[in-house]
Amino acid sequence: MTNPKKSSISATRKGGRAAALLRAAVTLAQFVTPEMIDKLVQWLKQMNLSQRFIQLMEKLSKLSQRATPLEQIQLQCDAVEELIESRATELSDDAPITQWRDELSKIRRGTKLISKASVSDRKKIKELQQRSKKLLDSAFNAAIN
């Protein structure tokens, strides 16, 4: 008989490694080889994530340095939205879906305001980047555990 506490810890570690892999792929996009992206896509398929989510992660991984931070934030928001829509029934009862949706809405409003501003505010963009990464990590960890 397996120890439920031990398997829970193992699942958490697996989720932490997965989120780290996802963050690395997105953060180091200019250094990621096509083979690395293929491995990430295969792993995401094994985790039974939706095809749209996989496509969004592939797109995020392939973003060139020419992509704006706001484009990256938008893709991350789309990925979170897809995770919520495709995995909501499979997520644990204590998954903060309402808070994710609220944060998603705030981030999208922020990107819209920044994109309309005449002067780019780096501090606000950086803050939105951090919030969108944190949100994606949280939703992704919940989806794979």
Side-chain angles (χ1 to χ4, degrees):
M1 188 166 158
T2 62
N3 182 347
K5 189 174 184 179
K6 191 173 185 178
S7 64
S8 173
I9 292 170
S10 175
T12 302
R13 286 183 185 151
K14 183 173 94 175
R17 285 188 293 247
L21 173 66
L22 183 64
R23 262 193 313 278
V26 172
T27 304
L28 302 172
Q30 67 269 22
F31 304 112
V32 176
T33 65
E35 294 81 24
M36 293 169 80
I37 293 172
D38 290 341
K39 285 183 181 182
L40 175 65
V41 167
Q42 288 303 323
W43 183 80
L44 291 172
K45 286 180 181 177
Q46 290 173 353
M47 296 306 293
N48 296 319
L49 295 167
S50 74
Q51 187 60 37
R52 182 166 184 265
F53 178 79
I54 293 169
Q55 289 170 345
L56 287 167
M57 289 298 96
E58 194 171 12
K59 199 175 199 180
L60 261 172
S61 298
K62 291 180 179 179
L63 275 181
S64 69
Q65 290 179 323
R66 291 178 287 149
T68 68
L70 294 179
E71 291 171 333
Q72 285 182 321
I73 293 168
Q74 184 61 41
L75 280 172
Q76 288 173 334
C77 288
D78 292 346
V80 170
E81 188 173 57
E82 177 59 26
L83 277 175
I84 292 170
E85 290 176 14
S86 65
R87 303 286 271 204
T89 58
E90 299 166 16
L91 294 173
S92 67
D93 293 337
D94 62 343
I97 295 173
T98 304
Q99 285 113 349
W100 291 339
R101 286 188 172 135
D102 290 344
E103 181 67 4
L104 192 60
S105 176
K106 291 174 187 176
I107 292 169
R108 288 183 191 253
R109 280 194 307 264
T111 56
K112 191 180 286 188
L113 287 172
I114 289 173
S115 67
K116 290 181 181 180
S118 59
V119 177
S120 178
D121 187 342
R122 288 184 181 183
K123 187 176 180 181
K124 288 181 181 179
I125 292 172
K126 184 76 171 170
E127 180 185 322
L128 284 175
Q129 285 177 307
Q130 291 170 345
R131 288 171 62 189
S132 66
K133 284 179 185 179
K134 184 178 176 183
L135 180 61
L136 180 58
D137 287 348
S138 175
F140 184 72
N141 280 328
I144 61 169
N145 287 327

